[in-house]
Amino acid sequence: MRAIAMSSSAAMVRILIKGGKVVNDDCTQEADVYIENGIIMQVGKELMIPGGAKVIDASGKLVLPGGIDTSVHLEESFMNATTVDDFYSGTKAALAGGTTMVIGHVLPEKNESLLEAYEKCRSSADSKTCCDYALHVGVTWWGPKVRAEMEKLVREHGVNSFQMFMAYKDMFMLRDCELYQVLQQCKDIGAIARVHAENGELVAEGAREALDLGISGPEGIEISRPEELEAEATHRAITIANRAHCPIYLVNVSSMAAGDVVATSKMQGKVVHGETTTAHSVLNGMQYYHQDWAHAAAHVTVPPLRLDPNTPNFLMSLLGNDTLNVVASDHRPFTIKQRAMGKDDFTKIPHGLPGIQDRMSVIWERGVIGGKMDENCFVAVTSSNAAKIYNLYPRKGRIIPGADADVVVWDPEGSKTISVDNQVQGGDVNLYEGLRCHGVPLVTISRGRLVYENGIFTCAEGSGKFCPLRTFPDYLYKKMVQREKSQAVKAVEREPYEGDVVAVVNSGKRDVGAPELNTPTRPCTRHGGQRDLHESSFSLSGAQIDDNIPKRSSARILAPPGGRSSGIW
């Protein structure tokens, strides 16, 4: 009954946003925006508006598509701890930060049914979420049952993306052959293949070695997971995906080395997309060496923040030039008390950082104010690219007539100082404590409802909707389909061989190959009477096979090294 009453009242809401600049990923224009019935009805100047609309004055402000946060972990149990935010508090924090849609994670245990894990998550989230949401499902083990459930999730449950792990040995990690088969299945059903790339075998070895050396603090996370292990796995993941003819979407790209691999692969024409996180593109790994254990532990995530202080700048630049396409919060908040499970062993500190509320403002501060991107690129990496990749565009991620009314009025001149004391998101730390951000959301509109205005919430628990996502997004698959046609391999058509075939003799001995006559010989590489020790049958007895060949006493140099000279030569 409550839902019916709410939807009928939402249907009556009419909003006119006047005098602002509408910013899409490809252009900025001065225009008014009229919203009715949860949909953007008109965008332009001097609109004909029916009476009774609430008017929002956006003079001097920007009107942006609501942010899409492509990786959030809400109500998730992970490494013996449950995240501090559920779908209510987490999505409320998202709205406060200018994000109007989130994509959460379903991470089944090993051998757990993917469908059951998905249903469990849906039943909890549907009644709590304040904004639209969708779900990725983790492929944390592999077998015929998983293959069948992936197809069912895609066909009947509106899931279009799966996440695979090359890290987390003995927990979520897939072997290369399993990853190859999962990627082939993703291609066949038109799903987005998200891959967390780190060399899980060597990470496990590195962690053991660090503990053996007596390194038990949070710095162990950085020592045991160097960036070359991410770069190697990134290259391997792209290679496996290329062999499977499947577009690949790399998550948590955290280092310059991995960023270079993504950039090179794109230049080679491979279908690769990349996502980094707010933390990786703003903070560096010196945090792990802080004297205060709690401060250092609060930054534990995987892949870890990188020690090279140039890394955040580099990743922000890759977002600015479209080498990396999306920035997510990867919001997974734990309290210091939960992290203290690993006070004597860094491998027991739960991995994950908060940030669902801060993502938009922090990226504006470091990306736009920092000169790495303009406001259109900002819209692309925080909203439009995600909408295109997950097949939501242009219903989401763009301000045009007919699109969902997920809109943010953004004040580019306004500022706020981030602090744990005034945050809505869960957790007892804020990674950006004391950071002054220029660029803040003033008004957030979700599905045509005013849900946040000047620090006041008017959103109802459970008012958000699950968005079923369609498969085969053009942004990923169009190029791949064409490429498969053009690069299809074919057998050579030839006349069948009619000649004799040698009888197979199986005497139990190893086949020693063809007779010596047929063995191609290496060209002779001897020079000027010198014995080539690689080619010769050199004997240690003193007498050599070529002792009877007379040696030349000298050789006249016709052109000395470096060319002729009229000097001493």
Side-chain angles (χ1 to χ4, degrees):
M1 190 64 205
R2 186 189 68 159
I4 295 167
M6 259 177 39
S7 60
S8 62
S9 65
M12 301 306 293
V13 174
R14 295 171 175 163
I15 300 174
L16 174 65
I17 305 171
K18 269 187 81 71
K21 277 186 179 175
V22 170
V23 182
N24 282 313
D25 63 329
D26 54 353
C27 63
T28 304
Q29 61 179 122
E30 290 191 7
D32 300 339
V33 179
Y34 175 61
I35 294 164
E36 186 180 316
N37 214 0
I39 302 292
I40 297 171
M41 305 303 280
Q42 299 178 57
V43 179
K45 286 287 198 186
E46 291 158 20
L47 306 177
M48 297 291 290
I49 304 296
K54 175 181 170 65
V55 178
I56 296 171
D57 180 12
S59 306
K61 312 291 186 286
L62 304 177
V63 183
L64 314 178
I68 300 173
D69 195 340
T70 50
S71 180
V72 301
H73 301 262
L74 303 172
E75 253 172 87
E76 180 181 285
S77 292
F78 181 72
M79 293 180 73
N80 302 317
T82 301
T83 54
V84 185
D85 276 320
D86 64 4
F87 275 90
Y88 174 59
S89 63
T91 53
K92 196 172 158 184
L95 292 169
T99 292
T100 53
M101 179 172 179
V102 299
I103 310 184
H105 287 266
V106 177
L107 284 179
E109 300 288 323
K110 215 165 195 171
N111 299 322
E112 183 186 359
S113 156
L114 273 60
L115 269 169
E116 284 171 20
Y118 163 85
E119 294 290 3
K120 198 160 68 183
C121 188
R122 279 292 307 271
S123 65
S124 168
D126 282 350
S127 60
K128 292 181 182 173
T129 178
C130 299
C131 70
D132 288 357
Y133 81 106
L135 292 171
H136 310 294
V137 176
V139 178
T140 52
W141 59 289
W142 184 238
K145 184 182 179 190
V146 178
R147 184 191 291 275
E149 289 193 330
M150 283 172 74
E151 188 157 353
K152 195 163 187 190
L153 283 163
V154 157
R155 301 250 182 276
E156 299 170 23
H157 297 281
V159 170
N160 78 349
S161 60
F162 295 94
Q163 180 148 330
M164 284 66 76
F165 297 86
M166 297 167 82
Y168 293 112
K169 186 182 177 184
D170 301 328
M171 192 172 157
F172 296 152
M173 188 176 101
L174 298 178
R175 301 196 313 270
D176 287 0
C177 58
E178 293 172 327
L179 181 60
Y180 178 68
Q181 289 171 40
V182 176
L183 291 171
Q184 283 186 315
Q185 173 69 346
C186 283
K187 179 202 69 170
D188 291 344
I189 60 181
I192 298 142
R194 293 169 54 94
V195 176
H196 173 117
E198 278 183 295
N199 187 319
E201 294 283 354
L202 293 191
V203 162
E205 291 297 314
R208 188 176 51 76
E209 286 166 13
L211 288 169
D212 287 349
L213 288 169
I215 298 166
S216 62
E219 67 279 7
I221 201 90
E222 191 276 321
I223 291 166
S224 63
R225 302 177 103 101
E227 59 180 80
E228 63 183 339
L229 298 191
E230 183 192 3
E232 182 279 327
T234 301
H235 185 271
R236 186 157 36 104
I238 293 168
T239 304
I240 293 168
N242 198 48
R243 296 298 300 158
H245 300 292
C246 178
I248 189 168
Y249 181 102
L250 293 152
V251 303
N252 299 359
V253 177
S254 73
S255 64
M256 295 200 279
D260 282 338
V261 173
V262 173
T264 303
S265 302
K266 283 192 159 190
M267 284 192 286
Q268 291 166 346
K270 297 188 172 111
V271 186
V272 181
H273 293 85
E275 170 185 300
T276 188
T277 76
T278 319
H280 285 112
S281 52
V282 172
L283 304 169
N284 71 56
M286 283 310 292
Q287 312 287 346
Y288 299 125
Y289 293 85
H290 197 281
Q291 284 299 304
D292 177 9
W293 184 92
H295 177 96
H299 291 80
V300 168
T301 185
V302 292
L305 303 174
R306 298 303 180 185
L307 263 189
D308 189 326
N310 299 312
T311 304
N313 243 341
F314 185 82
L315 294 174
M316 195 68 81
S317 298
L318 294 188
L319 284 167
N321 68 19
D322 205 36
T323 298
L324 293 177
N325 312 84
V326 176
V327 59
S329 68
D330 203 33
H331 181 71
R332 192 192 254 154
F334 296 110
T335 61
I336 290 299
K337 197 189 280 187
Q338 288 173 307
R339 292 175 187 274
M341 289 190 295
K343 65 185 174 62
D344 303 316
D345 178 351
F346 67 85
T347 64
K348 294 184 169 63
I349 301 172
H351 304 155
L353 305 176
I356 195 167
Q357 182 178 346
D358 306 318
R359 179 182 72 113
M360 302 276 281
S361 285
V362 170
I363 295 298
W364 182 275
E365 175 65 24
R366 289 297 169 87
V368 180
I369 305 291
K372 298 286 184 187
M373 57 181 77
D374 57 20
E375 75 265 25
N376 306 101
C377 177
F378 172 79
V379 165
V381 299
T382 57
S383 180
S384 308
N385 287 349
K388 291 172 186 175
I389 289 167
Y390 292 97
N391 228 350
L392 285 157
Y393 193 81
R395 205 183 95 211
K396 306 248 186 225
R398 192 166 184 84
I399 294 180
I400 49 165
D404 285 356
D406 290 349
V407 180
V408 177
V409 178
W410 190 267
D411 185 357
E413 302 302 322
S415 67
K416 68 168 181 188
T417 301
I418 294 178
S419 172
V420 70
D421 299 330
N422 55 22
Q423 70 181 18
V424 181
Q425 68 191 21
D428 47 11
V429 292
N430 191 303
L431 305 183
Y432 314 104
E433 187 71 40
L435 177 66
R436 189 154 187 76
C437 286
H438 302 81
V440 293
L442 296 180
V443 177
T444 307
I445 295 165
S446 170
R447 276 195 185 257
R449 295 185 316 272
L450 197 66
V451 288
Y452 176 80
E453 185 174 15
N454 297 325
I456 296 163
F457 286 99
T458 48
C459 59
E461 190 173 359
S463 57
K465 287 192 171 59
F466 177 78
C467 290
L469 302 178
R470 291 173 298 114
T471 50
F472 290 104
D474 282 350
Y475 198 66
L476 270 66
Y477 273 95
K478 237 179 184 173
K479 195 195 295 185
M480 192 54 92
V481 169
Q482 190 55 39
R483 181 166 304 182
E484 264 203 285
K485 282 185 200 164
S486 68
Q487 295 180 352
V489 289
K490 296 188 184 77
V492 177
E493 289 184 20
R494 49 165 80 90
E495 293 297 315
Y497 173 74
E498 302 287 358
D500 295 338
V501 179
V502 70
V504 177
V505 181
N506 190 358
S507 61
K509 289 182 187 170
R510 199 164 62 81
D511 185 7
V512 291
E516 278 184 21
L517 288 174
N518 298 343
T519 309
T521 54
R522 280 172 58 194
C524 180
T525 53
R526 293 194 181 160
H527 311 289
Q530 294 290 306
R531 179 181 289 125
D532 184 342
L533 300 185
H534 294 289
E535 295 282 352
S536 77
S537 44
F538 182 75
S539 163
L540 293 174
S541 67
Q544 302 299 334
I545 197 167
D546 56 355
D547 279 351
N548 61 333
I549 301 171
K551 306 286 185 290
R552 291 171 63 185
S553 59
S554 65
R556 190 162 121 252
I557 295 173
L558 298 175
R564 293 177 188 278
S565 155
S566 56
I568 59 167
W569 295 99

